[in-house]
Amino acid sequence: MRVLVVGGGAREHAIARTLSIAGAELVHIAPHTNPGIARLARATARSEITDADAVVTFAERQEIDYAVIGPEAALAAGVTDALRAAEISVVGPSASGARIESSKLFCRELLARNGVGGQPRFEAPRSLEEVDALAERFGGPFVVKPSGLTAGKGVWVQGSDFIEAKEGAAYAKSLLVQGQRVLLEEKLVGEEFSLMAFVTDSGIYPMPAVQDFKRALEGDKGGNTGGMGAYSQRDHLLPFLPAADRDAAVEIIRQSVAALRTEGIEYRGILYGGFMLTAQGPKLVEFNARFGDPESINVLSLYEEGNFDELMFGVASGRVDPNLVRFRLRSTVLKYIVPPGYGDKPHAGGILRLDEPAIEAAGVHVYFGSVEEVGPSAMQLGSGRGIALVGEASAIHEAGTRVETALAHVQGEFYVRHDIGTNEDLARRREHMRQILSPGAKPSPLPLSVAPAAAPPSSAASPDRFL
Ligand code: AMP
Ligand code: GLY
């Protein structure tokens, strides 16, 4: 089939590559050329991905069978609605469905109205006076977030981004003054994980769980970013995430899709829950209406070769064959190569020299994001996340070691979080979760390995049997 991929980051490169392995014919639209997608696509158009007319014109000219939309901005701008009006099927919700991500207030109110569990307490002040009053009597640490899209960067968490309640209040007021709606939310404490699902008319089909590293610097220091890297575990759980809690998160996704339907919103696409595993079980941090970046790159690297085109067409058409939802039982580690200063003041323009054959020979896949090809094996970094390297192995730390080996084949000035997927980091997260579940417990000695129990080599998902 002929597929239009909308968006030009490493996530879209992973979508394009997985489709292309399945034999799909690719056409691509994005503001910049993506060096990875350019190698795969038979036609490319340069346009803002929020320009619905440009996307529809290109889609019609290319006579595509369906489209896959990567970035939230295109969904929020109604590109899906415009394509569907032209009778083109799309993986991605309409603008009304995408509000589950583009308006955090809409999301929280929708879920509260429909009694969906796993929600933190929240308030949505309308005036400066109300902010002061609510911050003062919130009754515990809180988080301040603008309701609209912020690329994961607008959230301030008490204890890391601000200390005193009045500092949080000042930030909330600065957002209100700019005309934005703002939420004060109960601060959730625990370990975060991402769980994405394919959502169709016939049900939801979850993907393996992933842990994203949002903070810019090692040891989870620095500001929030779109995500510096991520890992997934062979059994599709995480070192700190048991099956029962993963299933509880799936149930929150299922109830949320039902809530959308109850309110007349059909949803065909990807729904991505950002969860916090707390002492009370998983709680919803936020929903995204699309594939995660980087999480989907981990997950798509595990997709059983051959059928992704059919699966995506099934999502776009509203009905999926559960046997197509198949992910290999292997661990993955992804690290993003970013410009120095990323997360604060990125220094764009540096040149990287990449020995791609040597990287692939190390068992690591390369996905291009915010880079421009400026010569043979030479990439110029933009200001965003540049190149994702994904290693795969039986144990998480082995996958991480593969990426570290591959990094020796990248020359130039860049930053990367070396701590992602190390045994030390995994043990720290398990210990963090243990302390949350039994505060005051004696620290356990760090385990030498965090490999999960042996599992069969492959799995298929059905609405009733999750991975
Ligand atoms: P979001 O844009 O909602 O994903 O928020 C970005 C990051 O802020 C999340 O990944 C969390 O690390 C943090 N965050 C957001 N909401 C909360 C919350 N209610 N409690 C604790 N941390 C949060
Ligand atoms: N990794 C976070 C996101 O895709 O929003």
Side-chain angles (χ1 to χ4, degrees), residues 193 195 206 237 241-254 282 466:
F193 64 96
L195 194 64
L237 300 169
L241 177 69
D245 288 313
R246 187 270 315 273
D247 293 348
V250 170
E251 186 51 31
I252 293 171
I253 297 178
R254 185 192 309 285
F466 299 108

PDB file of all heavy atoms in Angstrom, residues 193 195 206 237 241-254 282 466:
ATOM      1  N   PHE A 193       6.194   5.497  33.763  1.00  0.00           N
ATOM      2  CA  PHE A 193       6.322   4.602  32.603  1.00  0.00           C
ATOM      3  C   PHE A 193       5.325   5.019  31.530  1.00  0.00           C
ATOM      4  O   PHE A 193       4.343   5.702  31.813  1.00  0.00           O
ATOM      5  CB  PHE A 193       6.135   3.128  33.000  1.00  0.00           C
ATOM      6  CG  PHE A 193       4.767   2.789  33.513  1.00  0.00           C
ATOM      7  CD1 PHE A 193       3.802   2.252  32.661  1.00  0.00           C
ATOM      8  CD2 PHE A 193       4.424   2.983  34.843  1.00  0.00           C
ATOM      9  CE1 PHE A 193       2.531   1.916  33.138  1.00  0.00           C
ATOM     10  CE2 PHE A 193       3.168   2.657  35.327  1.00  0.00           C
ATOM     11  CZ  PHE A 193       2.216   2.125  34.476  1.00  0.00           C
ATOM     12  N   LEU A 195       2.847   3.760  28.402  1.00  0.00           N
ATOM     13  CA  LEU A 195       2.140   2.610  27.833  1.00  0.00           C
ATOM     14  C   LEU A 195       1.301   3.111  26.669  1.00  0.00           C
ATOM     15  O   LEU A 195       0.405   3.933  26.861  1.00  0.00           O
ATOM     16  CB  LEU A 195       1.251   1.979  28.902  1.00  0.00           C
ATOM     17  CG  LEU A 195       0.712   0.606  28.563  1.00  0.00           C
ATOM     18  CD1 LEU A 195       1.837  -0.418  28.436  1.00  0.00           C
ATOM     19  CD2 LEU A 195      -0.261   0.150  29.639  1.00  0.00           C
ATOM     20  N   PRO A 206      -2.566  -3.004  23.503  1.00  0.00           N
ATOM     21  CA  PRO A 206      -1.401  -2.361  24.112  1.00  0.00           C
ATOM     22  C   PRO A 206      -0.066  -2.823  23.528  1.00  0.00           C
ATOM     23  O   PRO A 206       0.048  -3.938  23.027  1.00  0.00           O
ATOM     24  CB  PRO A 206      -1.488  -2.746  25.590  1.00  0.00           C
ATOM     25  CG  PRO A 206      -2.653  -3.610  25.751  1.00  0.00           C
ATOM     26  CD  PRO A 206      -3.245  -3.935  24.417  1.00  0.00           C
ATOM     27  N   LEU A 237       7.308  -5.814  30.425  1.00  0.00           N
ATOM     28  CA  LEU A 237       7.066  -5.080  31.675  1.00  0.00           C
ATOM     29  C   LEU A 237       8.300  -4.222  31.916  1.00  0.00           C
ATOM     30  O   LEU A 237       9.075  -3.997  30.979  1.00  0.00           O
ATOM     31  CB  LEU A 237       6.822  -6.071  32.818  1.00  0.00           C
ATOM     32  CG  LEU A 237       5.608  -6.990  32.600  1.00  0.00           C
ATOM     33  CD1 LEU A 237       5.585  -8.120  33.632  1.00  0.00           C
ATOM     34  CD2 LEU A 237       4.308  -6.179  32.658  1.00  0.00           C
ATOM     35  N   LEU A 241       7.906  -2.634  37.332  1.00  0.00           N
ATOM     36  CA  LEU A 241       6.478  -2.657  36.965  1.00  0.00           C
ATOM     37  C   LEU A 241       5.977  -4.088  36.834  1.00  0.00           C
ATOM     38  O   LEU A 241       6.262  -4.764  35.846  1.00  0.00           O
ATOM     39  CB  LEU A 241       6.283  -1.911  35.633  1.00  0.00           C
ATOM     40  CG  LEU A 241       4.863  -1.901  35.060  1.00  0.00           C
ATOM     41  CD1 LEU A 241       3.926  -1.045  35.913  1.00  0.00           C
ATOM     42  CD2 LEU A 241       4.870  -1.381  33.609  1.00  0.00           C
ATOM     43  N   PRO A 242       5.202  -4.565  37.829  1.00  0.00           N
ATOM     44  CA  PRO A 242       4.633  -5.912  37.706  1.00  0.00           C
ATOM     45  C   PRO A 242       3.452  -5.946  36.745  1.00  0.00           C
ATOM     46  O   PRO A 242       2.863  -4.899  36.439  1.00  0.00           O
ATOM     47  CB  PRO A 242       4.171  -6.250  39.130  1.00  0.00           C
ATOM     48  CG  PRO A 242       4.350  -5.030  39.958  1.00  0.00           C
ATOM     49  CD  PRO A 242       4.866  -3.915  39.094  1.00  0.00           C
ATOM     50  N   ALA A 243       3.094  -7.147  36.314  1.00  0.00           N
ATOM     51  CA  ALA A 243       2.017  -7.300  35.317  1.00  0.00           C
ATOM     52  C   ALA A 243       0.699  -6.702  35.818  1.00  0.00           C
ATOM     53  O   ALA A 243      -0.044  -6.078  35.055  1.00  0.00           O
ATOM     54  CB  ALA A 243       1.840  -8.771  34.972  1.00  0.00           C
ATOM     55  N   ALA A 244       0.409  -6.867  37.118  1.00  0.00           N
ATOM     56  CA  ALA A 244      -0.889  -6.391  37.633  1.00  0.00           C
ATOM     57  C   ALA A 244      -0.994  -4.877  37.479  1.00  0.00           C
ATOM     58  O   ALA A 244      -2.067  -4.343  37.148  1.00  0.00           O
ATOM     59  CB  ALA A 244      -1.043  -6.789  39.091  1.00  0.00           C
ATOM     60  N   ASP A 245       0.109  -4.150  37.709  1.00  0.00           N
ATOM     61  CA  ASP A 245       0.058  -2.685  37.577  1.00  0.00           C
ATOM     62  C   ASP A 245      -0.003  -2.272  36.108  1.00  0.00           C
ATOM     63  O   ASP A 245      -0.671  -1.311  35.746  1.00  0.00           O
ATOM     64  CB  ASP A 245       1.269  -2.050  38.272  1.00  0.00           C
ATOM     65  CG  ASP A 245       1.138  -2.147  39.788  1.00  0.00           C
ATOM     66  OD1 ASP A 245       0.058  -1.824  40.307  1.00  0.00           O
ATOM     67  OD2 ASP A 245       2.104  -2.568  40.448  1.00  0.00           O
ATOM     68  N   ARG A 246       0.695  -3.016  35.250  1.00  0.00           N
ATOM     69  CA  ARG A 246       0.575  -2.739  33.810  1.00  0.00           C
ATOM     70  C   ARG A 246      -0.883  -2.944  33.376  1.00  0.00           C
ATOM     71  O   ARG A 246      -1.462  -2.116  32.671  1.00  0.00           O
ATOM     72  CB  ARG A 246       1.520  -3.648  33.020  1.00  0.00           C
ATOM     73  CG  ARG A 246       1.629  -3.352  31.525  1.00  0.00           C
ATOM     74  CD  ARG A 246       0.635  -4.094  30.642  1.00  0.00           C
ATOM     75  NE  ARG A 246       0.511  -5.489  30.961  1.00  0.00           N
ATOM     76  CZ  ARG A 246       1.285  -6.450  30.465  1.00  0.00           C
ATOM     77  NH1 ARG A 246       2.222  -6.158  29.609  1.00  0.00           N
ATOM     78  NH2 ARG A 246       1.099  -7.714  30.805  1.00  0.00           N
ATOM     79  N   ASP A 247      -1.499  -4.017  33.855  1.00  0.00           N
ATOM     80  CA  ASP A 247      -2.885  -4.292  33.468  1.00  0.00           C
ATOM     81  C   ASP A 247      -3.828  -3.205  33.992  1.00  0.00           C
ATOM     82  O   ASP A 247      -4.806  -2.846  33.331  1.00  0.00           O
ATOM     83  CB  ASP A 247      -3.320  -5.672  33.980  1.00  0.00           C
ATOM     84  CG  ASP A 247      -2.556  -6.802  33.283  1.00  0.00           C
ATOM     85  OD1 ASP A 247      -1.876  -6.522  32.276  1.00  0.00           O
ATOM     86  OD2 ASP A 247      -2.628  -7.952  33.753  1.00  0.00           O
ATOM     87  N   ALA A 248      -3.520  -2.683  35.192  1.00  0.00           N
ATOM     88  CA  ALA A 248      -4.358  -1.600  35.741  1.00  0.00           C
ATOM     89  C   ALA A 248      -4.233  -0.355  34.857  1.00  0.00           C
ATOM     90  O   ALA A 248      -5.216   0.372  34.636  1.00  0.00           O
ATOM     91  CB  ALA A 248      -3.939  -1.286  37.173  1.00  0.00           C
ATOM     92  N   ALA A 249      -3.036  -0.112  34.329  1.00  0.00           N
ATOM     93  CA  ALA A 249      -2.840   1.038  33.427  1.00  0.00           C
ATOM     94  C   ALA A 249      -3.603   0.821  32.117  1.00  0.00           C
ATOM     95  O   ALA A 249      -4.222   1.749  31.579  1.00  0.00           O
ATOM     96  CB  ALA A 249      -1.348   1.247  33.161  1.00  0.00           C
ATOM     97  N   VAL A 250      -3.584  -0.413  31.622  1.00  0.00           N
ATOM     98  CA  VAL A 250      -4.345  -0.732  30.398  1.00  0.00           C
ATOM     99  C   VAL A 250      -5.829  -0.448  30.642  1.00  0.00           C
ATOM    100  O   VAL A 250      -6.529   0.104  29.785  1.00  0.00           O
ATOM    101  CB  VAL A 250      -4.135  -2.207  29.983  1.00  0.00           C
ATOM    102  CG1 VAL A 250      -5.102  -2.602  28.877  1.00  0.00           C
ATOM    103  CG2 VAL A 250      -2.696  -2.433  29.531  1.00  0.00           C
ATOM    104  N   GLU A 251      -6.288  -0.780  31.830  1.00  0.00           N
ATOM    105  CA  GLU A 251      -7.704  -0.568  32.158  1.00  0.00           C
ATOM    106  C   GLU A 251      -8.035   0.938  32.164  1.00  0.00           C
ATOM    107  O   GLU A 251      -9.109   1.347  31.704  1.00  0.00           O
ATOM    108  CB  GLU A 251      -8.009  -1.217  33.518  1.00  0.00           C
ATOM    109  CG  GLU A 251      -9.467  -1.197  33.921  1.00  0.00           C
ATOM    110  CD  GLU A 251     -10.432  -1.734  32.856  1.00  0.00           C
ATOM    111  OE1 GLU A 251     -10.050  -2.627  32.082  1.00  0.00           O
ATOM    112  OE2 GLU A 251     -11.580  -1.229  32.794  1.00  0.00           O
ATOM    113  N   ILE A 252      -7.098   1.752  32.635  1.00  0.00           N
ATOM    114  CA  ILE A 252      -7.324   3.215  32.615  1.00  0.00           C
ATOM    115  C   ILE A 252      -7.435   3.695  31.160  1.00  0.00           C
ATOM    116  O   ILE A 252      -8.299   4.510  30.824  1.00  0.00           O
ATOM    117  CB  ILE A 252      -6.189   3.947  33.382  1.00  0.00           C
ATOM    118  CG1 ILE A 252      -6.266   3.599  34.875  1.00  0.00           C
ATOM    119  CG2 ILE A 252      -6.270   5.469  33.164  1.00  0.00           C
ATOM    120  CD1 ILE A 252      -5.080   4.095  35.701  1.00  0.00           C
ATOM    121  N   ILE A 253      -6.582   3.150  30.293  1.00  0.00           N
ATOM    122  CA  ILE A 253      -6.656   3.523  28.871  1.00  0.00           C
ATOM    123  C   ILE A 253      -7.999   3.090  28.296  1.00  0.00           C
ATOM    124  O   ILE A 253      -8.681   3.854  27.608  1.00  0.00           O
ATOM    125  CB  ILE A 253      -5.486   2.905  28.068  1.00  0.00           C
ATOM    126  CG1 ILE A 253      -4.138   3.446  28.568  1.00  0.00           C
ATOM    127  CG2 ILE A 253      -5.658   3.168  26.569  1.00  0.00           C
ATOM    128  CD1 ILE A 253      -2.924   2.866  27.863  1.00  0.00           C
ATOM    129  N   ARG A 254      -8.401   1.857  28.614  1.00  0.00           N
ATOM    130  CA  ARG A 254      -9.665   1.334  28.078  1.00  0.00           C
ATOM    131  C   ARG A 254     -10.849   2.213  28.525  1.00  0.00           C
ATOM    132  O   ARG A 254     -11.698   2.592  27.719  1.00  0.00           O
ATOM    133  CB  ARG A 254      -9.863  -0.095  28.571  1.00  0.00           C
ATOM    134  CG  ARG A 254     -11.085  -0.795  27.983  1.00  0.00           C
ATOM    135  CD  ARG A 254     -11.412  -2.082  28.712  1.00  0.00           C
ATOM    136  NE  ARG A 254     -10.260  -2.954  28.838  1.00  0.00           N
ATOM    137  CZ  ARG A 254      -9.754  -3.669  27.829  1.00  0.00           C
ATOM    138  NH1 ARG A 254     -10.307  -3.630  26.654  1.00  0.00           N
ATOM    139  NH2 ARG A 254      -8.706  -4.429  28.013  1.00  0.00           N
ATOM    140  N   PRO A 282      -0.965   2.538  39.503  1.00  0.00           N
ATOM    141  CA  PRO A 282      -0.659   3.509  38.446  1.00  0.00           C
ATOM    142  C   PRO A 282      -1.630   4.687  38.439  1.00  0.00           C
ATOM    143  O   PRO A 282      -2.834   4.487  38.604  1.00  0.00           O
ATOM    144  CB  PRO A 282      -0.789   2.692  37.156  1.00  0.00           C
ATOM    145  CG  PRO A 282      -1.556   1.477  37.511  1.00  0.00           C
ATOM    146  CD  PRO A 282      -1.424   1.249  38.980  1.00  0.00           C
ATOM    147  N   PHE A 466      -2.963  -9.485  27.094  1.00  0.00           N
ATOM    148  CA  PHE A 466      -2.087  -8.389  26.760  1.00  0.00           C
ATOM    149  C   PHE A 466      -0.644  -8.826  26.697  1.00  0.00           C
ATOM    150  O   PHE A 466      -0.041  -9.087  27.725  1.00  0.00           O
ATOM    151  CB  PHE A 466      -2.257  -7.250  27.763  1.00  0.00           C
ATOM    152  CG  PHE A 466      -3.650  -6.739  27.739  1.00  0.00           C
ATOM    153  CD1 PHE A 466      -4.510  -6.987  28.784  1.00  0.00           C
ATOM    154  CD2 PHE A 466      -4.120  -6.061  26.644  1.00  0.00           C
ATOM    155  CE1 PHE A 466      -5.803  -6.536  28.736  1.00  0.00           C
ATOM    156  CE2 PHE A 466      -5.413  -5.617  26.588  1.00  0.00           C
ATOM    157  CZ  PHE A 466      -6.263  -5.856  27.635  1.00  0.00           C
TER     158      PHE A 466
END
